[in-house]
Amino acid sequence: MVQCDVTSPRTLESLLRARVLVLDGAMGTQLQRLRLVDADFRGERFRRHSRDLFGDYDALTLTRPDLVSRVHAEYLESGSDIIRTNTFSSTAVAQADFGLSSSAYEFNLTAARLARAACDVWRARTPHQPRFVAGTIGPTNRSVSILPSRAAAGIRAVAFGQLRDAYKEQVRGLIEGGCDLLLVETVFDLANAQAALAAIAEVCIARPCRLPVMLSATVSDSGRMLTGQTIEAFWAAVAQAKPLIVGLNCSPAVHTVRPHLEELARHADCYVSCHPSAGLPDLRGEYAARPADFADALRDLASRGVANIVGGCCGTTPAHITAVVEAVRDMPPRSAPAPIPHGRS
């Protein structure tokens, strides 16, 4: 069993109180721009796999780890304080579409190790700027709450217990791989998030310390999640899990998420984050928000005193993050909430 670094949560929280931290940008955007072919996704490991693997970017952790590590290095060079593992879809539930459910644990373990190695290199280069690895836990492509079709009354795309167990496997891999915190992101279904939080709690019970948890939801322009909950309802439902950080991500643009983040900041008694998308993609897959404009919007957001962490989601690149780092360099963070016990989950 990997032993937790008990100093890492304390260092992270100290920095959250001191300045606005910067999360990295999108992993998928960078990998998609490489114009990969089927052989990249299969590698030698899955060369004879019976299912089509094109588009399974999480599989690249095992088949093209060099590319994943390169993306991590680019974001760290851009100045990111926190980088995310390439595990957004690395659960047995999400990987079922590719017939790779049995590899889910290995995906997470290896992805965490790759991010950890990249982070450690930059920690040594910039000892004045500690770097952290966030283990990414995505919402999966199934919903506990939403019916798969109108004709399927009473049937769910995935059961709560099935999803919780898949998340437990993912969490074990991320922790064993050396993550500093766990990030449950792009939450569109509150029940899915609760399954992830239950998994984290169960996995951490037998461990000597618990990793901090960062929780990030995605909402529509109206400020509601896909399953209908408001920002206030979302926070009320997850507050008892005592996340270190709560926030919003994805969404089409910074200005659309701002009022909802301000509302979340009014309710949350923990640190607050925001990593929106760079607009919406056009027919060529290009995203609208240029790095300078994206960074200016996040600087404006930080100037309102509602964020402790900013970064990028869909469509953002190292260029976006470089601009964000410069834009928020001297910005004070959201006022520190009441003292938070270390390693809370």
Side-chain angles (χ1 to χ4, degrees):
M1 178 186 296
V2 171
Q3 296 297 313
C4 297
D5 179 2
V6 297
T7 64
S8 188
R10 296 191 181 111
T11 302
L12 175 60
E13 188 171 346
S14 176
L15 289 171
L16 286 167
R17 292 178 179 274
R19 62 181 176 86
V20 176
L21 301 187
V22 178
L23 188 69
D24 62 1
M27 171 67 73
T29 299
Q30 291 304 100
L31 294 175
Q32 289 164 15
R33 291 185 175 192
L34 298 177
R35 302 289 189 256
L36 303 177
V37 297
D38 182 68
D40 292 303
F41 295 94
R42 289 185 176 279
E44 185 59 32
R45 173 67 180 277
F46 302 120
R47 186 166 61 90
R48 299 183 182 278
H49 191 65
S50 61
R51 303 278 285 276
D52 183 7
L53 297 183
F54 187 83
D56 186 1
Y57 288 92
D58 289 36
L60 296 174
T61 295
L62 299 185
T63 62
R64 292 299 307 270
D66 58 315
L67 300 182
V68 175
S69 293
R70 182 194 306 175
V71 174
H72 288 322
E74 289 172 349
Y75 280 123
L76 288 163
E77 186 172 10
S78 296
S80 298
D81 298 293
I82 305 169
I83 60 170
R84 287 166 284 178
T85 56
N86 183 39
T87 53
F88 188 81
S89 298
S90 293
T91 57
V93 169
Q95 286 298 316
D97 289 351
F98 297 100
L100 293 179
S101 294
S102 62
S103 298
Y105 173 80
E106 188 178 3
F107 278 17
N108 289 280
L109 179 69
T110 305
R113 286 175 172 171
L114 290 176
R116 175 80 275 149
C119 221
D120 288 347
V121 167
W122 280 86
R123 274 188 171 184
R125 290 181 183 179
T126 59
H128 61 284
Q129 181 187 359
R131 312 298 182 108
F132 303 90
V133 176
T136 294
I137 300 171
T140 80
N141 51 1
R142 307 284 195 276
S143 170
V144 173
S145 303
I146 302 173
L147 296 176
S149 70
R150 291 184 178 181
I155 299 176
R156 294 293 184 267
V158 63
F160 182 91
Q162 178 189 1
L163 187 57
R164 179 199 59 215
D165 290 346
Y167 278 138
K168 286 172 67 175
E169 180 180 46
Q170 180 172 36
V171 169
R172 283 194 294 268
L174 293 172
I175 293 176
E176 294 292 337
C179 289
D180 297 300
L181 65 154
L182 298 171
L183 168 57
V184 182
E185 68 172 322
T186 320
V187 175
F188 68 86
D189 182 343
L190 186 55
N192 283 36
Q194 290 172 325
L197 292 172
I200 292 170
E202 290 184 25
V203 170
C204 289
I205 284 175
R207 294 182 176 271
C209 66
R210 299 184 180 186
L211 294 187
V213 172
M214 180 174 171
L215 186 66
S216 184
T218 183
V219 296
S220 65
D221 290 353
S222 68
R224 289 180 178 269
M225 298 171 62
L226 184 60
T227 45
Q229 291 87 4
T230 63
I231 292 292
E232 184 176 2
F234 163 69
W235 172 248
V238 302
Q240 63 180 359
K242 302 188 186 306
L244 179 68
I245 306 150
V246 69
L248 300 177
N249 75 286
C250 207
S251 302
V254 179
H255 72 273
T256 61
V257 78
R258 191 187 72 200
H260 311 311
L261 190 76
E262 291 174 335
E263 181 182 358
L264 180 60
R266 285 195 296 271
H267 294 292
D269 64 355
C270 61
Y271 299 102
V272 173
S273 67
C274 183
H275 56 288
S277 299
L280 295 173
D282 59 23
L283 294 178
R284 296 176 300 172
E286 298 295 327
Y287 286 78
R290 296 176 299 179
D293 296 333
F294 184 78
D296 285 345
L298 282 182
R299 178 179 174 82
D300 176 69
L301 187 74
S303 72
R304 298 170 185 270
V306 295
N308 300 96
I309 298 177
V310 294
C313 197
C314 306
T316 54
T317 67
H320 287 83
I321 299 306
T322 297
V324 170
V325 169
E326 291 301 317
V328 303
R329 185 178 298 278
D330 300 319
M331 300 299 296
R334 173 175 177 263
S335 297
I340 299 171
H342 297 302
R344 64 189 289 178
S345 62

